Amino acid sequence: EVQLVESGGGLVQPGGSLRLACAASGFTFSSYSMNWVRQAPGKGPEWLSYISHRSRTIYYGDSVKGRFTISRDDAKKSLYLQMNSLRAEDTAMYYCALLAAAGHGVDYWGQGTPVTVSS
Amino acid sequence: DIQMTQSPSSLSASLGDRVTITCQAYQDISSSLNWYQQKPGKAPKLLIYGASNLETGVPSRFSGSGSGTYFTFTINSLQPADFATYYCQQYDSFPWTFGQGTKVEIK
């Protein structure tokens, strides 16, 4: 069974940093590209970042480019999102996702980890 | 960025009704479109991929069609489990983008 379990969310002040982690199991993590997607309260999902297998290709959404960094550790079967210079508008539920859009035919999301940016 | 415009933003329907949601892309995205269902407090669930392909295990009352810039999503014979919010998502080019959602409520 595929499982994606996010951690690392919480309350942070504007301008602060957080590092999210996603522990993957139930599939060959190293063979798949991975994504981070967030959803602000009452809003639709917003795709944030993509990392290919072997980390060869990385993409970011415009709203986080230059502030967030995606990375992965295949030995630990883990995905990360380093978030710097956080703003109030970054407040959202953050999901780790294995998306069908990447072309590998499966679509799985974690349960999400909440991030609140507030003073 | 490719903007996705969904309509309507919400609708009220009765059990057994046929419901149709549309999604328009700002530019040609071929068939690179997915449809998701989301219930409160849960992650989105993929229903349709490649504009018209039913994800494994998804009931056949759900269907999708379209290509290029105009897409439709249909629920035939609305069931209690179908009251949720639905999103389209384009994956023709990065950044991947979602529509703003359509909330399907009970009339």
Side-chain angles (χ1 to χ4, degrees):
Chain A
E1 179 194 5
V2 171
Q3 282 198 312
L4 298 169
V5 180
E6 302 91 338
S7 61
L11 174 64
V12 62
Q13 291 187 338
S17 298
L18 275 179
R19 188 192 194 209
L20 306 184
C22 171
S25 61
F27 65 105
T28 308
F29 179 76
S30 60
S31 297
Y32 290 84
S33 61
M34 295 295 297
N35 300 268
W36 286 100
V37 180
R38 72 182 177 187
Q39 189 166 24
K43 302 293 186 181
E46 178 188 11
W47 171 85
L48 295 181
S49 186
Y50 162 100
I51 185 168
S52 68
H53 78 294
R54 299 185 182 180
S55 305
R56 287 179 176 173
T57 303
I58 289 175
Y59 295 106
Y60 295 100
D62 292 343
S63 63
V64 303
K65 199 175 300 182
R67 300 189 299 125
F68 291 11
T69 302
I70 193 172
S71 62
R72 63 190 296 160
D73 184 332
D74 289 343
K76 294 183 178 179
K77 298 182 181 180
S78 292
L79 178 71
Y80 304 100
L81 186 68
Q82 177 66 43
M83 306 189 297
N84 298 330
S85 304
L86 284 162
R87 308 165 180 165
E89 54 265 36
D90 295 319
T91 295
M93 183 68 77
Y94 284 71
Y95 295 99
C96 163
L98 175 56
L99 294 178
H104 41 59
V106 292
D107 199 274
Y108 293 100
W109 298 56
Q111 84 290 348
T113 187
V115 172
T116 301
V117 183
S118 174
S119 55
Chain B
D1 299 8
I2 300 176
Q3 182 178 345
M4 306 301 293
T5 303
Q6 250 182 272
S7 64
S9 56
S10 66
L11 64 90
S12 295
S14 301
L15 294 178
D17 282 355
R18 181 179 185 178
V19 167
T20 298
I21 298 168
T22 65
C23 184
Q24 285 195 278
Y26 184 73
Q27 64 191 63
D28 190 333
I29 60 168
S30 186
S31 297
S32 302
L33 186 100
N34 293 333
W35 289 97
Y36 286 89
Q37 177 194 67
Q38 188 176 31
K39 295 183 178 180
K42 300 292 187 181
K45 174 188 174 184
L46 181 68
L47 300 181
I48 302 287
Y49 65 94
S52 60
N53 301 289
L54 195 65
E55 176 73 343
T56 302
V58 173
S60 59
R61 64 180 180 274
F62 295 99
S63 65
S65 65
S67 67
T69 62
Y70 188 79
F71 302 86
T72 61
F73 171 81
T74 299
I75 309 173
N76 282 302
S77 188
L78 199 64
Q79 299 300 303
D82 303 338
F83 293 98
T85 302
Y86 295 85
Y87 297 96
C88 60
Q89 180 226 356
Q90 71 80 20
Y91 56 95
D92 179 73
S93 62
F94 287 99
W96 293 340
T97 46
F98 290 83
Q100 76 273 27
T102 298
K103 186 173 184 179
V104 177
E105 299 177 301
I106 301 173
K107 183 184 285 184

